[in-house]
Amino acid sequence: MHSIRAQVWTRGLAAAALRNSRAVTRTMAAAKFVRFTSTEAVIPKSMQPRPEELSQGVTKTVLGDLDASTPPAKIRPELWTMYVATLRRLVPESTWPPKRRVLHWMLLNAETREELDLTLTLTEQWRMHMLPITQATTHLWSQACARLKYPEPFMRMLLDRWKYRQLPVAQTLAMYMRFLGTMGAESEASEELLDDVFKVFALYEYYDIPHNAQAYGALVEACCDINTEEAWRRALVASEETLAEDTPMITLEALNALERRSVERNESEMAARYRDLAKRLDLKPASKKEVQFDDDSTISSPGFD
């Protein structure tokens, strides 16, 4: 009897978990539908400012008096309202603390560079007031800058650790190097973006993150994507640095990129070397799983191996 009851109870828990999982999936799908089918940013009910906070027109904030009803150009009213309300909550006499999810919501909903600049200003004030961020916050910043093809804000934050106190992880930095390489292939500022790729690579040590195969792989891939003569020279130098080791830190994608560019340059021996290395090292394609976060917004699933 106890066994039967245990089975029934276990099945009940499993069914409840499945229902909860489906509910979360439906909620996420609905959020994505709103995000990609509407120009209006929908503020979740739990995050909406209280009516009395913004009912008096001009509002006192840590950046001076602001009017929530008059957003600047290229900034939608919903993001401006959230921005003003959050700055108001940062004044010493405020009795309402800012919502922790505000930065995430603004990053997910930003559609213009102006809206991302607005979020950067809010991030500066957020950190100046010692409010917490997480690994997820930093990762969402990298994604927002990549989505809007606007690399400067994230580079600025990464390079000033003490002002912005970001929390990058290896996966975030590797993803950003790949983004910079892709953008560099399409931009007239390719040399500047190439320098940014190497700055990000150097930031691993700055943030006490060890270089791994994904780091070297992303570095080489970005150089091959930009594909100027200087980028190709750096791709060779960077790859040889790790290939000289007994256990090279490199990815299959990077070796494939080196092989492809070697063929384009009629360097058949080099192309064959990279092809043979990929076979000898028995490298596997990188997983394309999306990065997942735990309840405390630390990364639990890396997004790629």
Side-chain angles (χ1 to χ4, degrees):
M1 285 295 293
H2 291 296
S3 176
I4 293 174
R5 288 177 181 172
Q7 290 178 27
V8 171
W9 183 67
T10 303
R11 289 171 185 167
L13 284 178
L18 181 60
R19 286 195 298 272
N20 290 337
S21 175
R22 287 171 176 169
V24 169
T25 302
R26 287 195 297 270
T27 301
M28 292 177 64
K32 288 181 179 179
F33 178 79
V34 171
R35 167 72 178 80
F36 291 108
T37 61
S38 172
T39 57
E40 180 183 359
V42 179
I43 302 176
K45 187 175 181 180
S46 63
M47 295 173 61
Q48 291 176 2
R50 304 186 185 201
E52 57 267 36
E53 289 186 84
L54 304 174
S55 61
Q56 299 176 352
V58 175
T59 301
K60 180 182 178 181
T61 75
V62 290
L63 293 180
D65 292 342
L66 297 173
D67 189 346
S69 64
T70 57
K74 298 185 179 179
I75 294 176
R76 287 165 295 158
E78 300 82 20
L79 272 80
W80 179 248
T81 296
M82 182 68 79
Y83 171 77
V84 174
T86 303
L87 289 180
R88 184 187 188 281
R89 293 183 175 197
L90 293 178
V91 298
E93 57 268 30
S94 174
T95 57
W96 296 315
K99 296 288 187 180
R100 290 190 300 171
R101 293 170 291 154
V102 166
L103 292 178
H104 293 191
W105 180 85
M106 292 190 69
L107 288 168
L108 287 167
N109 284 278
E111 291 186 348
T112 65
R113 291 189 171 194
E114 289 77 9
E115 290 179 349
L116 211 51
D117 286 337
L118 192 75
T119 310
L120 180 62
T121 302
L122 183 58
T123 299
E124 291 173 355
Q125 292 299 316
W126 192 273
R127 299 310 271 153
M128 284 175 63
H129 287 78
M130 303 302 290
L131 294 174
I133 65 167
T134 64
Q135 292 177 353
T137 315
T138 300
H139 193 75
L140 289 174
W141 255 113
S142 70
Q143 289 184 319
C145 287
R147 186 178 74 248
L148 296 178
K149 296 185 177 181
Y150 188 23
E152 288 84 2
F154 194 59
M155 289 299 302
R156 178 177 171 181
M157 288 191 295
L158 287 179
L159 291 168
D160 194 341
R161 181 178 184 179
W162 302 113
K163 180 176 182 178
Y164 295 100
R165 299 176 185 272
Q166 291 297 302
L167 300 172
V169 294
Q171 296 88 342
T172 301
L173 297 179
M175 183 278 288
Y176 211 68
M177 281 193 284
R178 290 189 179 92
F179 154 65
L180 292 170
T182 301
M183 188 170 178
E186 306 167 352
S187 171
E188 294 181 358
S190 58
E191 296 304 316
E192 180 180 340
L193 289 166
L194 178 64
D195 286 341
D196 283 346
V197 170
F198 278 80
K199 287 177 184 176
V200 174
F201 186 77
L203 286 172
Y204 277 74
E205 183 175 354
Y206 185 49
Y207 284 96
D208 299 317
I209 301 171
H211 285 123
N212 57 12
Q214 288 297 333
Y216 275 98
L219 179 69
V220 171
E221 283 184 70
C223 290
C224 290
D225 282 341
I226 294 173
N227 201 32
T228 60
E229 287 305 312
E230 175 61 15
W232 177 241
R233 183 189 71 79
R234 294 196 196 185
L236 296 178
V237 171
S239 59
E240 290 305 318
E241 178 180 306
T242 186
L243 292 176
E245 301 290 335
D246 292 336
T247 305
M249 292 187 289
I250 199 71
T251 62
L252 176 62
E253 290 74 19
L255 288 176
N256 287 343
L258 288 167
E259 180 190 352
R260 183 174 67 255
R261 295 306 185 193
S262 297
V263 169
E264 292 173 0
R265 286 171 166 75
N266 295 317
E267 297 283 356
S268 57
E269 290 186 7
M270 289 177 62
R273 175 177 176 242
Y274 295 129
R275 187 166 53 250
D276 292 343
L277 272 171
K279 292 180 180 178
R280 180 168 61 81
L281 295 173
D282 194 26
L283 298 174
K284 300 295 187 294
S287 168
K288 299 299 182 183
K289 296 178 294 185
E290 290 199 14
V291 172
Q292 301 293 323
F293 297 94
D294 290 330
D295 291 340
D296 61 356
S297 293
T298 57
I299 288 184
S300 60
S301 176
F304 43 77
D305 300 327

